[in-house]
């Protein structure tokens, strides 16, 4: 009898459970034509079963056995804007969603929405780089339009460079410990993998993965089951950094046996880019293996890397541009009939990850990743000992100093003479190399662990708790790449004839050996992040908090002859405890009108470059090293209609106690030295407004307008220090001097236009071809200032009194910050997609700067060398040592053709 009752109870429970399971169906259609769209990915966020559905030939999709609850339906695929809708399942046997209307968007059909600008691939000579390329996946109108259009010309949303944007793969942060920036080259060319990040936040919006920085959080989920199934082949042609690109991807999707495999590979190359004497040679690979053990447990292995070799171009003074044009590059010369560039960057830092996804129930999920990244970055340049500077850009070799304009024009003086370097080395009687090619190498090993727990405490309360740990060991050294016909490199520095390693004073180095400097930086980082979101009918409130611990120490492998007490062995360990809090308020006026406010305050540890400003030769740091303080807030009105989307935002960001570092030579009244310039107590202010509107005025015609008006300035005067080997030769052996205050307050931040406008129109024909045009206007672009000129020493002579003839008016003119002219740029894009049976293909092209505007300066800097007032008013001196700038390219194109099976 008991067994019978038990059986009946189990049967009743099974029937009840079955009745609580719902089947969800729908049909995806093109909003303009009404045609069914197949091969789109459909997901239910929050459902225990993590499999995605794929629309079939009639656009149909279904999910079965879905328990009661609230879910987010997501539909996305190549050639269409992403679609999201919140749905509620409540005891229905079947929930028919009807027609899901999708907007055709060719901008998602090509090379992958996450792309990199040429500037991001060439940021080695600049202190900043654009972060706009990573915003191109955003559904936010402003972020998307400003990235596609203005971002091509070094416009940076809210004035922020990419060190303020956190990039994550499966939750693991990719930003480097030395400068805080992500190395985009590590996954360059893997567009099919990074096409659609799982999460992309703009600004200080809340994230489900990390607390984030000022520029937002981007996280990529690398499970094959979350990406497009099938084969994809693509070829691209361009005239930018590289000339050709091929990509191939194969993804099995989730198979019946619970396995999914994905491989992707690409190559990008150019014998010569648009800049003279540059080449590009890059490969990339991705392997993803996923095993679904059950509806609750999935394990994913990921491995990717992108071995890259590329040469770079030089920033030039206006004197050089006037003679040789905007494509001139002073880093190359002819050797045996081929162009050879001294500045070659190599990057290969492969990443290997193992990620476990545990769907505990339909309300809770735990994701855990362990990761190991290794490899190195290197950057070569000519080096010399007891010899002359062979660079055409060395000031003594410029026409304004050497009176050799004719030789510059015909190329004999404006290119490196490689043969003369070999000849010089052969004449060195001692057998050493007077000239050689060396590389600055950064070899990292990074171990990471990350875990993320999400749960729904109640139907209207979501909680996220995430923790991470990262341990990095970086070897930094200089390596001999080519002896240029000589025998070896001597183990002493060029200027003071001191041994680079007093523990090995007779050291010599051959090709592949280390020389010059050799040390390690060790960093431990851990953080804990918690966030809660409380939802109601009219108001959502999100509160997030973080705390973190950072430790650094330097371990010198050479005992430098000048810094014998501060160069060898382990340094002091520097510890930083930081915290942050952020809030988000979303007021839902109705289904289309929203008001959103974000507020954030956090402290942020300095990077290793900032803690050890002259780490190559010692472990000395300046006084006043502390965590930066950052406050930021924004207020937005958002309208989301079926045909019109708009946003208007005001934002404000204030930073304090940041550190700024530069290298160079100062020719001052009291100093003529090579220095490392370190400013502490740097404060910045970013204030402005953003406006964007996108209107589908006809089913086939979309108009857009974007405006960003900002003012980004230094808000505090800074504490100014100079490091120099010369200072150790005085009575006080401390290798740096404090020069008091650098009066930089209210000077503009350099690195790109602070104001930008864009107007665009795009026609999307129902037969799947399109053409778009945009006009872009960029304003208020300033060059980075040389801070030494803003100290008292700039206008004082040896006895400490002001230099004769200095007046307030003349000094104001000398210290006026260089501002670039406003510029207009016209862009055009067009293309067509095809259906070939069950396959698809497409061809597209983009032409930037159609009017071939060659006057656009993307950025630059005042040279540090001008260290005294009398030089600043000397026309010849200023011609030689005027600002160095990068010019934007003339007309460029990018053409792409793809096939998908």
């Amino acid at each position: 009898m008991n067994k019978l009752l038990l059986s009946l109870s189990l049967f009743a429970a099974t029937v009840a459970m079955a009745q609580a399971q719902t089947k969800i169906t729908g049909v995806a259609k093109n909003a303009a034509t009404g045609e069914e769209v197949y091969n789109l990915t459909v997901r239910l966020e929050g459902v225990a079963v993590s499999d995605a559905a794929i629309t079939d030939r009639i656009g149909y999709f279904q999910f079965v056995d879905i328990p009661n609850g609230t879910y987010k339906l997501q539909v996305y695929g190549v050639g269409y804007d992403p679609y999201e809708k919140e749905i509620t399942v409540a005891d229905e046997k079947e929930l028919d969603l009807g027609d899901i209307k999708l907007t055709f968007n060719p901008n998602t059909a090509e090379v992958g929405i996450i792309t990199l600008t040429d500037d991001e691939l060439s940021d080695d000579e600049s202190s900043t780089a654009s972060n706009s390329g990573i915003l191109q996946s955003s559904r936010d109108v402003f972020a998307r339009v400003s990235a596609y259009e203005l971002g091509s010309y070094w416009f940076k949303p809210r004035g922020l460079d990419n060190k303020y944007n956190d990039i994550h793969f499966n939750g693991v942060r990719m930003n480097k410990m030395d400068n805080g920036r992500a190395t985009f080259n590590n996954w360059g060319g893997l567009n099919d993998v990074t096409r659609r990040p799982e999460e992309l936040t703009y600004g200080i919006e809340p994230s489900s993965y990390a607390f984030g920085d000022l520029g937002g959080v981007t996280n990529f989920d690398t499970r094959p089951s979350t990406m497009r199934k099938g084969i994809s082949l693509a070829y691209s042609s361009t005239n930018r950094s590289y000339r050709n690109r091929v990509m191939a991807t194969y993804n099995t999707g989730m198979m019946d046996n619970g396995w999914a495999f994905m491989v992707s590979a690409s190559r990008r190359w150019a014998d010569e880019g648009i800049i003279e004497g540059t080449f590009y040679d890059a490969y990339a690979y991705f392997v993803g293996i996923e095993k679904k053990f059950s509806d609750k447990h999935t394990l994913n292995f990921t491995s990717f890397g992108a071995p890259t070799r590329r040469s770079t171009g030089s920033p030039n003074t206006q004197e050089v541009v006037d003679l040789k044009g905007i494509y001139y590059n002073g880093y190359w010369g002819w050797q045996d009939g081929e162009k050879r560039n001294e500045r070659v960057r190599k990057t290969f830092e492969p990443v290997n990850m193992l990620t476990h996804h545990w769907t505990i129930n339909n309300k809770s999920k735990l994701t855990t990743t362990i990761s190991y990244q290794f490899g190195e970055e290197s950057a070569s340049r000519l080096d010399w000992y007891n010899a002359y500077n062979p660079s055409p850009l060395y000031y003594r070799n410029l026409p304004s100093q050497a009176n050799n304009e004719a030789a510059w024009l015909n190329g004999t003086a404006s290119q490196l003479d490689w043969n003369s370097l070999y000849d010089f080395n052969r004449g060195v009687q001692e057998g050493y190399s007077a000239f050689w090619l060396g590389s600055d190498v950064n070899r990292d090993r990074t171990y990471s662990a990350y875990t993320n727990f999400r749960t729904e405490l109640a139907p209207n309360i979501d909680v996220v708790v995430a923790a991470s740990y990262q341990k990095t060991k970086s070897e930094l050294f200089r390596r001999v790449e080519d002896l240029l016909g000589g025998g070896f490199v001597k183990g002493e520095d060029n200027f003071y004839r001191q041994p680079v390693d007093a523990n090995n004073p007779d050291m010599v180095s051959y090709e592949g050996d280390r020389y010059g400097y050799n040390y390690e930086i060790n960093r431990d980082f851990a953080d804990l992040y918690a966030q809660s979101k409380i939802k109601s009918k009219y108001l959502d409130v999100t509160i997030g908090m973080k705390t973190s611990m950072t430790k650094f120490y330097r371990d010198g492998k050479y005992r430098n002859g000048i810094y014998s007490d501060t160069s060898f062995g382990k340094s002091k360990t520097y510890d930083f405890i930081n915290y942050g809090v952020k809030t988000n308020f979303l007021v839902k006026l109705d289904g289309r009108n929203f008001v959103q406010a974000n507020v954030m305050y956090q402290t942020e540890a300095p990077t290793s470059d900032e803690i050890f400003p002259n780490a190559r030769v010692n472990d000395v740091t300046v006084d006043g090293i502390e965590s930066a303080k950052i406050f930021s807030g924004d207020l937005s009105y958002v309208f989301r209609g079926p045909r019109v989307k708009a946003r208007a935002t005001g934002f404000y960001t204030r930073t304090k106690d940041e550190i700024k570092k530069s290298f160079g030579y100062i020719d001052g009244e009291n100093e003529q030295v090579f220095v490392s310039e370190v400013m502490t107590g740097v404060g910045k202010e970013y204030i402005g407004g953003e406006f964007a509107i996108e209107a589908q005025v006809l089913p086939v015609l979309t108009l857009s307008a974007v405006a960003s008006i900002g003012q980004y300035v230094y808000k505090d005067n800074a504490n100014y220090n100079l490091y120099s080997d010369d200072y150790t030769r005085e009575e006080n052996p401390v290798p740096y001097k404090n020069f008091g205050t650098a009066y930089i307050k209210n000077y503009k931040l350099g690195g790109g236009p602070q104001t930008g406008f864009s107007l665009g129109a795009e026609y999307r024909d129902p037969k799947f071809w399109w053409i778009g045009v945009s006009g872009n206007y960029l304003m208020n672009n300033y060059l980075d200032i040389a801070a030494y000129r803003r100290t008292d020493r700039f206008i004082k002579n040896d006895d400490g009194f002001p230099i004769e003839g200095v007046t307030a008016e003349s000094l104001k003119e000398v210290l006026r910050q260089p501002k670039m002219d406003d510029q207009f740029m016209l862009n055009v894009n067009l293309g067509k997609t095809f259906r070939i049976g069950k396959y698809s293909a497409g061809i597209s092209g983009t032409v930037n700067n159609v009017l071939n505007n060659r006057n656009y300066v993307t950025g630059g800097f005042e040279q540090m060398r001008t260290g005294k007032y009398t030089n600043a008013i000397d026309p010849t001196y200023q011609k030689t040592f005027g600002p160095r700038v990068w010019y934007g390219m003339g007309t460029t194109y990018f053409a792409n053709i793809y096939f998908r099976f």
Side-chain angles (χ1 to χ4, degrees):
M1 184 68 179
N2 290 335
K3 289 184 179 180
L4 177 61
L5 290 174
L6 178 61
S7 300
L8 290 173
S9 299
L10 290 174
F11 176 76
T14 302
V15 171
M17 184 176 297
Q19 289 176 341
Q21 306 292 305
T22 299
K23 178 180 178 181
I24 300 175
T25 62
V27 177
K29 290 188 176 182
N30 186 308
T33 66
E35 295 179 352
E36 293 83 4
V37 183
Y38 67 95
N39 206 30
L40 296 178
T41 301
V42 187
R43 299 183 69 187
L44 280 180
E45 185 179 283
V47 73
V49 181
S50 59
D51 287 351
I54 305 296
T55 60
D56 64 15
R57 293 291 298 176
I58 60 171
Y60 177 81
F61 65 88
Q62 71 174 14
F63 294 92
V64 296
D65 296 336
I66 304 301
N68 291 345
T70 300
Y71 306 98
K72 183 182 291 184
L73 178 78
Q74 299 173 324
V75 186
Y76 54 87
V78 174
Y80 289 88
D81 281 335
Y83 175 93
E84 283 189 358
K85 180 181 181 180
E86 191 172 88
I87 61 173
T88 300
V89 176
D91 297 326
E92 301 99 329
K93 184 175 182 180
E94 180 172 342
L95 178 60
D96 185 0
L97 301 176
D99 294 342
I100 304 296
K101 301 293 184 66
L102 299 165
T103 302
F104 173 63
N105 184 353
N107 288 331
T108 71
E110 193 264 315
V111 297
I113 306 173
I114 293 286
T115 62
L116 296 176
T117 67
D118 293 322
D119 303 315
E120 289 171 321
L121 296 173
S122 307
D123 64 355
D124 55 296
E125 298 294 342
S126 173
S127 61
T128 60
S130 172
N131 70 340
S132 58
I134 60 178
L135 296 174
Q136 295 186 8
S137 284
S138 178
R139 288 186 295 275
D140 178 83
V141 178
F142 177 87
R144 187 177 68 251
V145 174
S146 64
Y148 271 115
E149 306 301 339
L150 300 176
S152 302
Y153 306 107
W154 273 63
F155 173 82
K156 295 178 292 189
R158 302 189 183 181
L160 302 170
D161 68 54
N162 61 27
K163 79 172 185 177
Y164 293 111
N165 193 282
D166 286 352
I167 309 297
H168 297 247
F169 278 78
N170 298 318
V172 174
R173 189 170 183 259
M174 295 285 110
N175 299 57
K176 292 286 191 174
M177 74 164 188
D178 55 350
N179 58 20
R181 295 182 173 89
T183 303
F184 292 99
N185 280 328
N186 285 334
W187 52 87
L190 295 176
N191 298 65
D192 286 338
V193 177
T194 60
R195 182 180 304 280
R196 192 177 302 280
E198 183 183 27
E199 180 179 78
L200 193 156
T201 67
Y202 181 67
I204 57 173
E205 294 173 347
S207 162
S208 298
Y209 286 89
F211 184 84
D213 212 322
L214 292 171
V217 175
T218 302
N219 183 72
F220 299 100
D221 182 348
T222 62
R223 285 177 293 174
S225 63
T226 67
M227 290 181 260
R228 182 189 174 276
K229 178 181 177 180
I231 298 174
S232 176
L233 304 173
Y235 169 77
S236 305
S237 175
T238 180
N239 67 338
R240 299 173 186 174
S241 295
Y242 55 85
R243 300 288 186 174
N244 304 279
R245 184 186 69 180
V246 291
M247 296 194 306
T249 300
Y250 173 61
N251 186 356
T252 65
M254 185 59 68
M255 298 183 290
D256 293 339
N257 59 6
W259 287 92
F261 300 90
M262 179 175 175
V263 293
S264 185
S266 75
R267 189 189 177 200
R268 295 163 292 159
W269 74 97
D271 292 333
E272 184 171 52
I274 197 169
I275 304 298
E276 293 179 347
T278 61
F279 68 86
Y280 201 102
D281 189 17
Y283 295 82
Y285 70 89
F286 170 88
V287 177
I289 303 173
E290 181 181 358
K291 172 60 177 175
K292 179 182 175 183
F293 294 96
S294 67
D295 288 345
K296 292 183 177 293
H297 295 281
T298 299
L299 198 62
N300 179 43
F301 172 75
T302 300
S303 180
F304 63 87
T308 301
R309 291 177 64 251
R310 59 186 177 90
S311 55
T312 62
S314 59
N316 304 312
T317 62
Q318 195 61 46
E319 173 189 8
V320 172
V321 173
D322 291 342
L323 286 170
K324 302 294 291 186
I326 66 173
Y327 299 134
Y328 169 76
N329 176 16
Y331 294 153
W332 72 278
W334 293 99
Q335 182 182 354
D336 299 329
E338 295 185 0
K339 292 180 178 180
R340 184 177 184 183
N341 192 311
E342 61 154 317
R343 304 292 178 100
V344 177
R345 295 186 65 88
K346 299 179 183 179
T347 304
F348 184 37
E349 298 178 298
V351 177
N352 296 282
M353 291 179 164
L354 191 63
T355 303
H356 176 239
H357 294 264
W358 178 17
T359 304
I360 301 170
N361 52 48
N362 67 330
K363 295 183 179 181
S364 302
K365 182 176 181 180
L366 180 68
T367 303
T368 303
T369 299
I370 56 173
S371 171
Y372 175 57
Q373 183 176 16
F374 63 98
E376 69 175 42
E377 294 180 279
S378 66
S380 70
R381 64 178 63 212
L382 280 172
D383 210 342
W384 55 90
Y385 176 85
N386 197 25
Y388 60 91
N389 188 331
S391 172
L393 295 172
Y394 181 53
Y395 79 97
R396 296 185 185 276
N397 299 329
L398 293 174
S400 56
Q401 297 287 324
N403 195 26
N404 59 351
E405 183 171 322
W408 256 78
L409 290 172
N410 65 31
T412 56
S414 58
Q415 296 169 1
L416 279 173
D417 188 350
W418 290 96
N419 291 330
S420 69
L421 305 183
Y422 279 83
D423 291 342
F424 194 101
N425 281 341
R426 294 188 187 101
V428 176
Q429 294 183 355
E430 297 179 39
Y432 65 82
S433 282
F435 298 98
W436 66 93
L437 198 64
S439 282
D440 294 306
V441 181
N442 187 341
R443 182 178 292 168
D444 284 354
R445 283 178 288 172
T446 301
Y447 304 86
S448 302
Y450 172 85
T451 188
N452 181 298
F453 175 72
R454 304 186 206 179
T455 190
E456 182 183 294
L457 291 182
N460 65 328
I461 301 177
D462 296 332
V463 172
V464 176
V465 179
S468 69
Y469 173 74
Q470 193 168 77
K471 185 177 185 63
T472 302
K473 181 178 182 179
S474 289
E475 299 177 63
L476 299 105
F477 55 89
R478 190 165 280 167
R479 181 173 61 208
V480 180
E481 301 291 349
D482 192 335
L483 291 167
L484 304 184
F488 56 88
V489 172
K490 297 191 71 172
E492 63 182 32
D493 75 89
N494 187 36
F495 296 100
Y496 304 107
R497 302 298 192 263
Q498 293 292 317
V500 297
D501 185 9
N503 293 335
N504 184 15
D506 298 322
M507 180 181 74
V508 295
S509 302
Y510 301 94
E511 289 184 6
D513 291 344
R514 303 183 184 193
Y515 79 100
Y517 65 88
N518 185 13
Y519 67 98
E520 293 177 358
I521 296 291
N522 290 268
R523 173 184 181 256
D524 287 276
F525 173 81
D527 74 341
L528 177 65
Y529 166 57
Q531 176 180 283
S532 179
K533 182 176 182 179
I534 303 172
K535 299 172 287 186
S536 66
K537 184 176 181 180
Y538 297 108
L539 176 66
D540 292 351
V541 179
T542 305
I543 300 175
M545 294 175 288
K546 75 160 185 180
T547 183
S548 66
M549 178 278 296
T550 309
K551 292 185 177 182
F552 287 101
Y553 73 87
R554 177 189 182 273
D555 189 359
K557 303 304 179 182
Y558 287 171
R559 186 182 299 278
N560 187 276
I562 301 175
Y563 305 99
S564 59
D565 295 331
T566 57
S567 56
F568 183 72
K570 292 185 179 180
S571 71
K572 168 188 172 182
T573 298
Y574 294 86
D575 303 274
F576 302 90
I577 302 296
N578 293 285
Y579 65 93
V581 60
K582 65 165 55 175
T583 60
N584 170 273
F585 299 91
L586 178 64
V587 181
K588 296 170 278 190
L589 303 176
D590 54 37
R592 297 182 180 180
N593 294 273
F594 305 85
V595 174
Q596 177 175 268
N598 294 285
V599 180
M600 182 194 78
Y601 179 81
Q602 69 167 340
T603 63
E604 194 165 80
T607 65
S608 61
D609 278 356
E610 294 166 342
I611 295 173
F612 303 109
N614 209 10
R616 292 180 177 182
V617 292
N618 63 52
D619 59 21
V620 180
T621 190
V622 297
D623 295 331
I625 295 291
E626 58 182 300
S627 294
K629 289 82 176 173
I630 300 173
F631 170 82
S632 185
D634 61 52
L635 180 65
S636 301
Y637 165 72
V638 180
F639 177 78
R640 294 177 182 168
R643 294 187 177 274
V644 177
K645 297 178 177 65
R647 173 167 70 84
T649 299
F651 62 87
Y652 176 81
T653 297
R654 179 74 161 91
T655 70
K656 292 185 176 182
D657 295 321
E658 290 193 297
I659 300 166
K660 191 174 188 295
K661 187 181 79 169
S662 302
F663 287 100
Y665 185 88
I666 288 184
D667 183 7
E669 189 73 29
N670 306 284
E671 282 79 34
Q672 292 83 36
V673 289
F674 286 99
V675 295
S676 173
E677 172 190 270
V678 181
M679 290 191 291
T680 59
V682 176
K684 301 173 184 176
E685 181 183 74
Y686 306 79
I687 186 170
E690 300 168 340
F691 174 77
I693 184 168
E694 184 179 71
Q696 190 174 350
V697 295
L698 297 171
V700 295
L701 180 63
T702 302
L703 304 179
S704 64
V706 159
S708 178
I709 302 172
Q711 178 174 276
Y712 316 133
V713 301
Y714 291 105
K715 194 60 177 176
D716 300 321
N717 291 324
N719 188 37
Y720 190 88
N721 303 275
L722 286 181
Y723 279 75
S724 175
D725 297 343
D726 281 358
Y727 297 155
T728 64
R729 308 176 72 83
E730 302 173 359
E731 292 182 3
N732 184 0
V734 177
Y736 72 92
K737 288 183 178 180
N738 179 267
F739 287 80
T741 301
Y743 299 97
I744 62 174
K745 183 177 180 179
N746 293 327
Y747 277 96
K748 303 296 193 297
L749 300 178
Q754 299 196 359
T755 296
F757 302 93
S758 179
L759 289 174
E762 187 170 62
Y763 175 81
R764 305 174 185 176
D765 192 88
K767 296 184 178 179
F768 298 102
W769 64 268
W770 72 89
I771 183 169
V773 61
S774 72
N776 307 283
Y777 195 69
L778 302 116
M779 303 171 59
N780 300 334
N781 189 359
Y782 297 86
L783 299 189
D784 283 323
I785 59 173
Y788 185 85
R789 302 185 197 181
R790 281 81 187 176
T791 67
D792 291 338
R793 295 293 281 267
F794 180 69
I795 58 171
K796 291 184 177 180
N797 53 32
D798 288 332
D799 57 14
F801 290 97
I803 295 172
E804 185 177 352
V806 178
T807 66
E809 292 75 17
S810 63
L811 184 61
K812 181 179 180 180
E813 184 61 31
V814 165
L815 298 182
R816 187 185 304 276
Q817 186 173 11
K819 179 184 178 183
M820 302 299 100
D821 294 336
D822 301 340
Q823 300 292 337
F824 174 79
M825 300 290 183
L826 184 68
N827 296 344
V828 173
N829 69 87
L830 68 166
K832 180 173 175 55
T833 59
F834 305 89
R835 296 291 187 186
I836 308 171
K838 62 179 181 178
Y839 307 130
S840 64
I843 185 170
S844 62
T846 300
V847 181
N848 283 349
N849 192 3
V850 174
L851 303 179
N852 200 24
N853 181 350
R854 299 193 177 196
N855 298 316
Y856 181 57
V857 174
T858 63
F861 55 92
E862 293 179 335
Q863 294 196 58
M864 291 174 60
R865 189 176 189 107
T866 305
K868 58 184 176 182
Y869 175 83
T870 51
N871 285 341
I873 61 175
D874 183 334
T876 301
Y877 191 95
Q878 275 307 290
K879 186 175 184 180
T880 304
F881 298 110
R884 290 201 170 191
V885 297
W886 289 272
Y887 274 83
M889 300 175 184
T891 300
T892 61
Y893 72 88
F894 190 98
N896 184 72
I897 184 171
Y898 72 86
F899 299 92
R900 294 193 173 99
F901 306 91

